[in-house]
């Protein structure tokens, strides 16, 4: 069945739902598990002429990387409690959806499991959906947990 599962987290409760399902599946299927966290570049968060972000870019990259480490640290006890030893991968300077499906394909994963807020209608249209972008960007099976 599934031998290598990829799941992703942004540190939210919604993402945690997907990670928890992926942990349980990895345990039950004796599959490898990779947990991905991505962050877009600092300049994509803040872009304005009146601010000088070049001086702070290294500082911001460190903060984003430290946040990824913190998120992964919070997940380790959940994995250990299930007897699962996931690989944790931080992908800087990437949109989440792109990082998810590109990393899954690069690592030879055969299933992607992600949490989703389940937005619908105008909210989904205006805010977008990382889950929808993952579905559109990959040929791998995707399990969306709400």
């Amino acid at each position: 069945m599934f031998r290598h599962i990829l799941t992703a987290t942004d540190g939210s409760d919604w993402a945690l739902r997907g990670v928890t399902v992926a942990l349980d599946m990895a345990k039950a299927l004796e599959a490898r598990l990779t947990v991905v966290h991505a962050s877009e570049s600092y300049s994509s968060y803040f872009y304005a002429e009146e601010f000088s972000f070049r001086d702070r870019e290294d500082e911001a990259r460190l903060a984003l990387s430290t946040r990824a480490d913190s998120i992964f640290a919070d997940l380790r006890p959940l994995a250990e409690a299930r007897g699962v030893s996931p690989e944790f991968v931080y992908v800087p300077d990437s949109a989440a959806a792109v990082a998810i499906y590109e990393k899954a394909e690069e690592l030879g994963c055969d299933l992607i499991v992600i949490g989703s807020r389940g937005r619908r209608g105008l909210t989904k249209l205006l805010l977008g959906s990382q889950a929808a972008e993952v579905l559109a960007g990959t040929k791998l099976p995707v399990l969306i947990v709400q």
Side-chain angles (χ1 to χ4, degrees):
M1 179 147 254
F2 299 114
R3 304 304 312 151
H4 190 175
I5 300 167
L6 182 136
T7 189
T9 184
D10 60 5
S12 69
D13 290 341
W14 296 102
L16 181 59
R17 291 178 185 192
V19 171
T20 301
V21 168
L23 285 165
D24 291 341
M25 288 181 72
K27 176 65 176 178
L29 298 171
E30 297 179 5
R32 290 176 54 203
L33 179 64
T34 300
V35 180
V36 170
H37 174 75
S39 64
E40 293 189 34
S41 68
Y42 180 64
S43 61
S44 69
Y45 284 116
F46 306 101
Y47 184 79
E49 293 286 330
E50 63 270 22
F51 297 108
S52 173
F53 291 110
R54 289 183 189 163
D55 297 336
R56 296 198 169 176
E57 190 168 344
D58 290 339
E59 192 177 311
R61 287 183 190 279
L62 179 60
L64 292 169
S65 176
T66 300
R67 183 174 191 278
D69 291 341
S70 175
I71 289 169
F72 293 152
D74 290 344
L75 296 177
R76 281 190 179 88
L78 297 173
E80 290 170 3
R82 290 166 173 79
V84 176
S85 298
E87 177 183 0
F88 294 99
V89 177
Y90 171 54
V91 182
D93 301 323
S94 178
V98 174
I100 291 166
Y101 62 73
E102 285 185 352
K103 192 56 71 173
E105 291 171 13
E106 174 188 322
L107 296 174
C109 298
D110 47 19
L111 176 66
I112 298 171
V113 178
I114 51 176
S116 176
R117 287 179 172 84
R119 291 185 175 122
R120 303 194 191 314
L122 188 58
T123 304
K124 181 178 176 182
L125 180 64
L126 293 174
L127 298 176
S129 166
Q130 293 300 310
E133 289 183 42
V134 170
L135 285 170
T138 188
K139 293 179 182 175
L140 294 172
V142 179
L143 174 61
I144 300 173
V145 179
Q146 291 186 330

